[in-house]
């Protein structure tokens, strides 16, 4: 029976198939589609229906249950084959050096094992797109990334500490027994969705429509002042939403939200279009490598122009699937609720395609969304559990603090005893307030935590006692030339508006040459924050601010880390300063200027002096102290300088063309009559861009 044109996901629903399976089937029958959002015509639908019917007939005709049993029997021996990891990849791995590290270590420990400094390790991780401080606990991703960067294989040591075994067995295994290795009990998890966009484009209002609550009314000035997390059930499946602030004062918070998300929902007002923080949100989401779904909001307004929004977004690489692109765009009205269900359906479909899974049986790991100090409860941290199951009573370690989870509260404020993957909870019981963006993992004992921070403090003291690390400044960029490599000026740029960033970056990028380069490490709108200073520290960059000022904490940190902050209010001044700094990196050109030519006509001898050259200046002039070459029969036989110069019996500083003079040379007397003397000077010429 012929059907009208429809999208892939709609046909999957109709046939009661998984979207991935249907996409595979479409590929099999040679129907080109990009994603589950692609549309297919009647012919394609017919082919799919025929293929589905064929597969059904095959199943019914075979009627054997043996294959169903065969799979579990195949998988059963797998856990026994503990050494099975040395399968076919073994030969390739054998060519590389293998470095073993113990469980429970941090990035610095891995750096030591690889023969790197902590700073070098952090830089290599940054170069691979991973932000992790030296104190960050080790995980599989860090091992793989840093190993690849160094050209070695990095693996966990076979000898896991006893505390490690305890920590795996203790909090998990409700059925009794030690937790299985990571990945052996993978289960589907809820998608974590970050709502992003420009201020007042309706992000929180959209969540209100989804959650049927009125969060906006509780916020100061109607603007979201913190990152909130909420769990929503749609069609029996849970979705976790993060509401990031859109106001420019909270730029760094918005960045953290993108780092711990699976899907980014970009809210754009249909009557306002793409704004500075819309672009910023796009960049954060792209940097995090997550799929973007665009919610074109405020469609209830008479001035709404969704086509204009789509056109503007296409300039930033987000092309609507309706225009042949692969970005899902849904027209909604958070005020009336129109299109909200369709948006939720799109989120569910994109999450399904990602096949999100986590192991709830391994020790818990996660990331801090926000943290505060409460008068009654002490340190309170909002966290997202990414792996494992966080339980009340667990000992957890952050980058800056640790504690025992005394209590946990979900997004509704209810007390809970455990939180699995993709669950957002507030926890209390920490001995300090962690920074948003910090990761946490479970530890075996309080002693382990105390020892960790004692060692960390000792390292900090040692570092302070050593010579302070010299950071790059615009005045001393010549230091980069010592290594003989192409000098590069690294910059972190913060501005008041996005348009200014584009103008500055566009102008600065034109300054780069084959001899000296410029690298824009990071650009963003808003005040200069601590994270900007830390980024500049790791990348040896200069922080440039245009019409913005640093936070007090950022200024203190910059002073401590010797990071230079340059503030401007005129774009041309930035360009001139940077240009001058880059020119300072260029090796100057040495140019020779000819001063004159002198012929030696007679040789005299004087007591205590030795030989004196009696000369006539044939061209130009000769000066006392001039650099000279002695030329005989067209061959240069000596280079040096004029020691003394006389005109008749008097000392002379200069003798010009047509006059005679007598002179001696510095530590040289092997000259003859007829020799020519060429006088010259070397001049440094500054190279320009």
């Amino acid at each position: 029976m012929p059907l009208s044109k429809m999208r892939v996901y709609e046909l999957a629903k109709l046939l009661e198939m998984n979207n991935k399976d249907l996409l595979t089937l479409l590929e099999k029958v040679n129907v080109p589609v990009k994603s589950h959002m692609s549309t297919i015509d009647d012919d394609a639908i017919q082919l799919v229906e025929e293929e589905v019917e064929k597969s059904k007939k095959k199943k019914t005709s075979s009627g054997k249950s043996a294959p169903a049993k065969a799979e579990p029997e195949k998988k059963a021996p797998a856990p026994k084959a503990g050494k099975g990891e040395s399968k076919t990849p073994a030969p390739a791995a054998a060519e590389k050096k293998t470095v073993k590290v113990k469980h429970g270590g941090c990035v610095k420990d891995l750096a030591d094992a690889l023969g790197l400094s902590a700073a070098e390790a952090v830089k290599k991780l940054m170069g691979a797109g991973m932000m992790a401080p030296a104190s960050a606990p080790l995980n599989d991703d860090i091992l793989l990334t840093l190993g690849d960067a160094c050209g070695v294989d990095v693996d966990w040591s076979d000898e896991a500490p006893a505390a490690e075994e305890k920590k795996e067995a203790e909090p998990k295994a409700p059925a009794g027994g030690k937790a299985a290795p990571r990945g052996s009990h993978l289960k589907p998890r809820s998608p974590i969705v970050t709502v992003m966009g420009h201020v007042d484009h309706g992000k929180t209002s959209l969540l209100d429509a989804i959650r049927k609550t009125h969060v906006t009314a509780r916020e100061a000035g109607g603007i979201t002042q913190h990152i909130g997390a909420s769990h929503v059930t749609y069609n029996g499946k849970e979705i976790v939403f993060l509401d990031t602030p859109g106001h420019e004062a909270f730029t760094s918070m918005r960045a953290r939200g993108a780092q711990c998300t699976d899907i980014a929902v970009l809210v754009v007002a249909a009557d306002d279009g793409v704004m500075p923080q819309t672009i910023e949100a796009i960049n954060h989401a792209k940097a995090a490598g997550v799929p973007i779904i665009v919610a074109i909001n405020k469609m209830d307004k008479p001035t709404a122009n969704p086509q204009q929004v789509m056109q503007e977004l296409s300039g930033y690489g987000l092309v609507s699937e309706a225009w042949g692109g692969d970005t899902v765009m849904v027209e909604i009205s958070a005020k009336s609720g129109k299109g909200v269900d369709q948006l939720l359906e799109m989120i569910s479909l994109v999450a399904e395609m990602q096949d999100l899974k986590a192991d709830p049986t391994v020790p818990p790991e996660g990331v801090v969304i926000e943290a505060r100090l409460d008068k009654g409860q002490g340190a309170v941290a909002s966290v997202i559990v990414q792996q494992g199951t966080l339980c009340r009573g667990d000992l957890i370690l952050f980058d800056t603090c640790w504690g025992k989870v005394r209590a946990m509260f979900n997004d509704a404020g209810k007390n809970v005893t455990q939180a699995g993957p993709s669950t957002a909870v507030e926890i209390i019981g920490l001995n300090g307030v962690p920074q948003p963006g910090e990761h946490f993992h479970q530890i075996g004992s309080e002693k382990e935590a105390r020892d960790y921070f004692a060692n960390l403090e000792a390292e900090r003291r040692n570092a302070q006692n050593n010579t302070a690390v010299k950071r790059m400044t615009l005045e001393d960029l010549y230091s980069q030339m010592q290594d003989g490599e192409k000098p590069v000026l690294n910059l972190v740029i913060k501005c008041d508006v996005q348009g200014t960033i584009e103008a500055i970056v566009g102008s600065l990028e034109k300054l780069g040459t084959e001899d000296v380069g410029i690298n824009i490490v990071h650009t963003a709108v808003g005040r200069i924050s601590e994270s900007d200073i830390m980024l500049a520290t790791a990348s040896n960059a200069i922080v440039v601010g245009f019409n913005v000022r640093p936070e007090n904490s950022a200024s203190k940190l910059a002073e401590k880390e010797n990071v230079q902050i340059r503030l401007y209010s005129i774009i041309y001044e930035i360009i001139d300063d940077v240009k001058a700094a880059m020119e300072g990196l260029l090796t100057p050109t040495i140019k020779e200027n000819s001063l004159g030519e002198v012929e030696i006509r007679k040789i005299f001898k004087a007591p205590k002096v030795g030989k004196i050259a009696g000369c006539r200046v044939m061209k130009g002039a000769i000066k006392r102290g001039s650099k000279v070459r002695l030329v005989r029969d067209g061959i240069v036989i000596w280079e040096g300088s004029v020691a003394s110069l006389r005109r008749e019996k008097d000392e002379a500083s200069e003798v010009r063309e047509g006059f005679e003079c007598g002179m001696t040379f510095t530590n040289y007397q092997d000259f003859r009559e007829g020799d020519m003397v060429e006088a010259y000077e070397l001049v440094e010429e500054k190279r320009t861009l």
Side-chain angles (χ1 to χ4, degrees):
M1 59 176 188
L3 296 170
S4 59
K5 211 170 187 180
M6 63 172 64
R7 298 191 189 277
V8 171
Y9 78 88
E10 292 172 332
L11 182 60
K13 267 188 185 178
L14 193 66
L15 298 174
E16 297 181 348
M17 289 182 69
N18 183 286
N19 282 287
K20 278 191 171 181
D21 294 340
L22 182 53
L23 287 169
T24 304
L25 183 57
L26 287 165
E27 187 179 351
K28 183 181 174 183
V29 296
N30 297 319
V31 176
V33 289
K34 287 185 177 181
S35 70
H36 60 285
M37 291 299 298
S38 302
T39 55
I40 51 179
D41 57 21
D42 291 345
D43 293 337
I45 294 169
Q46 187 95 24
L47 284 171
V48 169
E49 286 182 326
E50 289 172 2
E51 198 65 31
V52 170
E53 284 298 320
K54 282 181 190 176
S55 62
K56 281 182 181 178
K57 285 177 182 177
K58 277 184 184 178
K59 283 182 182 178
T60 52
S61 63
S62 64
K64 295 175 183 178
S65 58
K69 289 181 182 178
E71 279 202 45
E73 286 178 358
K74 274 186 188 176
K75 287 185 181 179
K80 288 185 183 178
K83 298 178 183 177
E85 296 193 346
S86 60
K87 292 179 188 171
T88 45
E95 296 175 8
K96 283 186 179 181
K97 181 185 173 184
T98 301
V99 177
K100 297 276 187 179
V101 292
K102 290 183 179 180
H103 293 266
C106 59
V107 171
K108 186 181 182 302
D109 299 326
L110 179 55
D112 293 341
L114 294 171
L116 302 172
S117 69
E120 287 173 332
V122 170
K123 283 184 181 180
K124 286 184 181 291
L125 288 170
M126 274 182 57
M130 183 178 288
M131 297 294 293
S135 59
L138 293 177
N139 56 39
D140 291 341
D141 290 340
I142 292 176
L143 261 62
L144 183 63
T145 303
L146 199 52
D148 286 347
C150 297
V152 300
D153 285 333
V154 185
D155 203 357
W156 298 108
S157 171
D158 295 332
E159 299 177 6
E164 196 77 18
E165 291 181 15
K166 248 188 226 176
K167 91 179 172 187
E168 287 188 8
E170 192 180 79
K172 311 300 154 254
K178 192 162 71 171
R182 182 181 299 276
S184 63
H185 290 88
L186 290 175
K187 292 183 178 179
R189 64 171 179 83
S190 305
I192 301 170
V193 180
T194 300
V195 183
M196 311 175 80
H198 193 72
V199 62
D200 201 32
H201 273 203
K203 298 178 301 298
T204 307
S205 299
L206 171 60
L207 282 174
D208 287 346
I210 295 171
R211 299 176 296 191
K212 301 292 188 286
T213 61
H214 299 282
V215 175
T216 304
R218 298 199 297 266
E219 299 286 359
I223 299 175
T224 305
Q225 301 293 319
H226 65 279
I227 296 180
S230 53
H231 296 248
V232 173
T233 302
Y234 177 76
N235 284 345
K237 295 180 180 179
E238 192 174 71
I239 304 171
V240 182
F241 282 93
L242 298 183
D243 179 21
T244 64
H247 196 273
E248 67 183 29
F250 306 107
T251 299
S252 60
M253 292 170 67
R254 197 163 39 247
R256 289 193 298 268
Q259 287 168 359
C260 59
T261 192
D262 302 308
I263 300 169
V265 172
L266 179 67
V267 181
V268 186
D271 63 336
D272 210 5
V274 174
M275 301 298 284
Q277 278 135 18
T278 311
I279 302 165
E280 186 183 301
I282 293 170
N283 292 336
H284 286 315
K286 284 184 176 181
V290 297
I292 299 172
I293 297 174
V294 179
I296 304 176
N297 193 23
K298 302 188 181 183
M299 288 299 298
D300 54 294
K301 289 195 171 185
T303 53
N305 189 349
Q307 295 298 315
Q308 180 65 31
V309 173
M310 291 180 186
Q311 187 177 342
E312 290 176 359
L313 287 171
S314 66
Y316 299 95
L318 301 182
V319 182
S320 170
E321 44 81 26
W323 290 6
D326 53 8
T327 302
V328 178
M329 297 191 185
V330 184
E331 297 177 10
I332 67 166
S333 169
K335 187 176 179 181
S336 66
K338 179 188 174 184
V340 172
D341 284 344
Q342 188 188 352
L343 176 64
L344 291 172
E345 186 175 9
M346 293 300 105
I347 292 171
S348 298
L349 285 169
V350 172
E352 182 188 317
M353 297 302 296
Q354 287 184 283
D355 195 24
L356 302 170
K357 290 183 179 179
D359 192 342
T361 65
V362 299
E365 297 176 9
V367 64
V368 179
I369 306 170
E370 192 55 89
R372 68 183 192 277
L373 191 63
D374 188 270
K375 288 183 179 179
Q377 298 176 316
V380 180
S382 296
V383 301
I384 285 275
V385 181
Q386 297 173 310
Q387 287 282 352
T389 303
L390 183 64
C391 301
R392 190 167 60 199
D394 282 352
L395 282 165
I396 52 177
L397 181 72
F398 297 82
D399 295 341
T400 56
C401 62
W402 65 278
K404 189 173 186 178
V405 180
R406 293 207 319 266
M408 290 192 296
F409 304 92
N410 62 15
D411 60 310
K414 292 182 179 178
N415 202 327
V416 294
T417 58
Q418 61 180 25
S422 296
T423 304
V425 287
E426 276 194 346
I427 59 173
I428 59 174
L430 307 178
N431 70 343
V433 181
Q435 295 296 311
E438 285 188 24
H439 285 80
F440 71 84
H441 68 282
Q442 191 181 14
I443 52 173
S445 65
E446 293 185 11
K447 184 180 181 301
E448 188 180 334
R450 291 193 183 94
D451 289 347
Y452 172 81
F453 282 106
N455 293 334
L456 199 62
E457 185 59 33
E459 287 177 10
R460 284 173 183 161
R461 281 199 299 269
N462 290 336
Q464 288 174 356
N465 293 334
N466 295 331
T467 307
V469 179
K470 185 167 179 64
R471 302 292 175 198
M472 189 68 71
T473 66
L474 288 180
E475 290 77 22
D476 63 2
L477 288 173
Y478 286 107
S479 61
Q480 282 195 344
M481 299 295 292
Q482 294 174 357
D483 298 330
E485 299 177 0
K486 174 181 174 178
V488 176
L489 176 60
N490 295 320
L491 297 174
V492 172
I493 300 173
K494 297 298 289 287
C495 297
D496 54 343
V497 294
Q498 187 69 30
T500 306
I501 290 178
E502 293 169 6
I504 292 172
V505 171
S507 300
L508 293 179
E509 285 179 342
K510 293 176 183 176
L511 298 179
T513 68
E514 292 181 359
D515 299 312
V516 60
I518 187 165
N519 177 33
I520 310 296
V521 178
H522 174 66
T523 63
V525 173
R527 297 176 69 184
I528 298 168
S529 64
E530 286 188 56
S531 61
D532 298 321
I533 303 301
M534 291 308 298
L535 183 59
T537 301
S539 57
N540 205 21
I542 299 165
V543 179
V544 174
F546 183 83
N547 281 343
V548 295
R549 292 295 181 268
E551 298 171 356
N552 289 334
S553 57
S555 296
K556 290 177 182 176
L557 185 61
E559 187 176 347
K560 180 183 174 185
E561 298 291 337
N562 296 319
V563 172
Q564 188 178 49
I565 300 176
R566 305 285 289 229
L567 304 176
Y568 301 88
S569 57
I570 301 172
I571 291 181
Y572 297 112
E573 288 183 356
I574 301 177
I575 297 166
D576 289 345
D577 278 6
V578 171
K579 186 178 179 181
M582 293 175 70
E583 288 175 345
L585 287 173
L586 296 171
T587 306
T589 302
I590 307 298
K591 187 177 179 182
E592 180 180 303
N593 284 342
S594 177
L595 297 177
E597 291 182 6
V598 178
E599 182 183 2
I600 300 177
R601 293 190 170 184
K602 200 155 187 169
I603 296 175
F604 305 95
K605 290 185 179 179
K608 298 181 182 180
V609 177
K611 293 170 70 176
I612 300 172
C615 308
R616 184 177 179 88
V617 181
M618 308 301 293
K619 182 180 175 183
I622 186 81
K623 296 179 181 179
R624 187 172 60 241
S626 294
K627 290 182 178 293
V628 292
R629 293 189 190 93
L630 195 68
V631 181
R632 185 177 299 160
D633 299 327
I635 299 171
V636 177
I637 61 172
W638 178 79
E639 289 191 35
S641 60
V642 177
S644 65
L645 184 67
R646 285 180 176 267
R647 173 83 176 107
E648 294 180 349
K649 294 183 180 181
D650 300 322
E651 289 281 347
S653 59
E654 181 182 78
V655 180
R656 294 189 172 274
E657 183 178 334
F659 290 95
E660 294 181 342
C661 61
M663 60 184 174
T664 61
F665 304 101
T666 305
N667 301 321
Y668 188 76
Q669 293 196 339
D670 191 21
F671 45 85
R672 302 177 188 174
E673 292 180 5
D675 289 347
M676 296 296 295
V677 180
E678 295 178 353
Y680 66 95
E681 62 179 359
L682 298 176
V683 180
E684 277 192 4
E685 285 192 353
K686 188 178 178 183
R687 292 168 64 189
T688 58
L689 297 174

